[in-house]
Amino acid sequence: MSEPPVLLSTDRDGVRTLTLNRPHRKNAIDPALWSALAEALRRTADDRSVRALIVAGAGDAFCSGADIGAPDLRHPVYRMRALTDVALLLRELPIPTVAKVAGVAMGAGWNLALGCDLVVATPESTFCQIFTKRGLTLDLGGSWLLPRLIGLQQAKRLALLAETIDAGQALELGLVTWVVPGTDIDAFTDELGERLAAGPPVALAQTKALLDAGAETAFRDALAAEARAQGLNFATADAPEAYAAFAQRREPRFTGRWTAPRRGPEHAATSTENGA
């Protein structure tokens, strides 16, 4: 009998769900799962039919971190490269991403959730930057993500003490976007994915990029980036569609289709003659 896949991938109405599938290990990520995650994220980045991504865990846990008990004879440099690939691929996805956290999210598992744009948890969810209890330091982007999300002092508290916090504390700190009952999390996250997938894909991608860059960008540079992004938005069918839908009192149907007029040879010649 063959082993079940370590990662499940399902698509529905433009929403892709990647489910870590090692419930017997609370979805701890072994080398095979790191590899499968990286490949799935690459495919997602190249698939324009996918307009939102949900990351979830099978069973009663989201992810208990890297499976440090799994045999791996590679040099640590190469082992860490697998983590780096996943962290970068997830952060650089041009579509909205959601972590569905039911149960524990520890170490790299918590940072995998924090690498998503939005985090949905249940009251039973627990979180821990467990690294120092294992004689290790933060990875999967935790040292970059935590200070930006909650400030340096609280980040040091969580990382140095490796405290376990509940969903209420995580929500108060700003590390969780919503806390919903466990019986409702599937329906809530499905609806959230549908809402994101129904949005204007070009505008959402640029909004995500602007916000990600904003923390490290001067105000003048942020304004310039916003102006460039808005120009691209006006060149799609989505802005006119939004105005038409508002006037017609209906929901807009966003496609991200490019509609900027193309200059033909005659127009180009005229522009050149006029010095344009």
Side-chain angles (χ1 to χ4, degrees), residues 148-172:
R148 284 163 175 78
L149 290 169
I150 60 175
L152 185 57
Q153 193 171 74
Q154 290 294 341
K156 287 181 176 178
R157 165 201 159 191
L158 293 175
L160 295 176
L161 298 175
E163 293 179 341
T164 297
I165 63 173
D166 61 27
Q169 292 170 299
L171 181 64
E172 185 178 349

Side-chain angles (χ1 to χ4, degrees), residues 22-273:
R22 301 186 74 224
H24 61 292
R25 296 286 292 168
K26 293 192 180 296
N27 301 315
I29 309 178
D30 66 353
L33 184 47
W34 285 120
S35 178
L37 262 175
E39 181 56 33
L41 291 170
R42 290 189 187 97
R43 289 197 306 269
T44 300
D46 293 335
D47 190 341
R48 292 187 60 189
S49 70
V50 181
R51 293 172 58 165
L53 176 71
I54 297 171
V55 181
D60 61 356
F62 176 72
C63 177
S64 59
D67 192 344
I68 59 177
D72 192 343
L73 300 179
R74 294 174 299 171
H75 189 283
V77 168
Y78 301 113
R79 296 206 300 265
M80 291 307 300
R81 185 175 296 171
L83 278 70
T84 299
D85 287 347
V86 168
L88 285 173
L89 287 163
L90 179 61
R91 179 157 186 87
E92 293 175 357
L93 275 181
I95 59 175
T97 56
V98 180
K100 181 168 72 171
V101 180
V104 300
M106 304 180 71
W110 190 6
N111 292 335
L112 180 67
L114 294 178
C116 294
D117 300 314
L118 304 168
V119 180
V120 184
T122 70
E124 296 77 27
S125 301
T126 56
F127 305 85
C128 181
Q129 295 287 334
I130 198 171
F131 300 97
T132 58
K133 288 187 177 180
R134 300 290 182 262
L136 300 170
T137 50
L138 299 168
D139 60 26
L140 210 73
S143 65
W144 191 92
L145 291 163
L146 280 171
R148 284 163 175 78
L149 290 169
I150 60 175
L152 185 57
Q153 193 171 74
Q154 290 294 341
K156 287 181 176 178
R157 165 201 159 191
L158 293 175
L160 295 176
L161 298 175
E163 293 179 341
T164 297
I165 63 173
D166 61 27
Q169 292 170 299
L171 181 64
E172 185 178 349
L173 286 168
L175 295 169
V176 164
T177 322
W178 296 278
V179 176
V180 299
T183 54
D184 298 339
I185 190 170
D186 289 342
F188 182 93
T189 309
D190 287 346
E191 182 186 3
L192 177 61
E194 292 168 4
R195 289 170 58 194
L196 292 168
V202 174
L204 288 181
Q206 292 181 103
T207 297
K208 175 176 174 173
L210 287 168
L211 291 171
D212 283 342
E216 300 176 329
T217 302
F219 186 58
R220 183 180 295 273
D221 295 332
L223 290 172
E226 289 173 357
R228 290 192 297 270
Q230 209 69 294
L232 290 175
N233 293 327
F234 287 131
T236 72
D238 288 342
E241 165 64 9
Y243 291 125
F246 177 78
Q248 298 165 18
R249 297 184 179 181
R250 61 173 175 82
E251 290 297 316
R253 295 180 291 273
F254 294 122
T255 63
R257 186 166 54 86
W258 181 255
T259 60
R262 298 179 180 178
R263 298 196 305 178
E266 295 180 1
H267 183 88
T270 302
S271 297
T272 302
E273 291 170 4

